[in-house]
Amino acid sequence: MKDDKQAMDTNSSADNVDEYLQTLGNEDARELRYYSQEQSFDSDELAKVVNEKRLNELLAQSDAFLSNLNGELKDFDKSTDN
């Protein structure tokens, strides 16, 4: 048990942080870490997790918002021309 404690002490948090910071500068290690978390989904899997009705509602709201914003910007441009 004493040997386990010594092994844990030799691998301190500072060592782990130092090792992590060193890998941040290593572009290959950072890229590997990034892509290892990436997962590909096929259309069937996406269809199971995406609420299509809600997505369409959100898209319609964003279209309405952008259309309204565009109209406001045109009105703003007209008022600054005078």
Side-chain angles (χ1 to χ4, degrees):
M1 183 161 170
K2 192 173 184 181
D3 291 337
D4 291 341
K5 174 97 172 102
Q6 283 180 331
M8 287 174 38
D9 289 343
T10 60
N11 199 7
S12 70
S13 296
D15 291 335
N16 291 332
V17 169
D18 184 50
E19 181 182 332
Y20 176 75
L21 291 174
Q22 288 177 11
T23 61
L24 286 179
N26 183 341
E27 188 66 32
D28 292 334
R30 186 175 12 179
E31 194 170 310
L32 178 63
R33 197 168 48 251
Y34 175 78
Y35 288 114
S36 69
Q37 297 173 9
E38 202 172 89
Q39 296 177 349
S40 60
F41 296 97
D42 64 20
S43 58
D44 291 335
E45 289 174 314
L46 287 176
K48 291 177 187 174
V49 296
V50 173
N51 182 339
E52 192 173 344
K53 180 181 177 189
R54 181 67 178 135
L55 177 61
N56 288 329
E57 290 171 359
L58 291 171
L59 289 172
Q61 288 176 1
S62 67
D63 288 345
F65 171 77
L66 291 174
S67 178
N68 185 35
L69 182 61
N70 193 29
E72 292 293 327
L73 290 173
K74 286 180 182 177
D75 290 344
F76 178 77
D77 287 341
K78 289 177 186 174
S79 66
T80 59
D81 287 340
N82 293 333

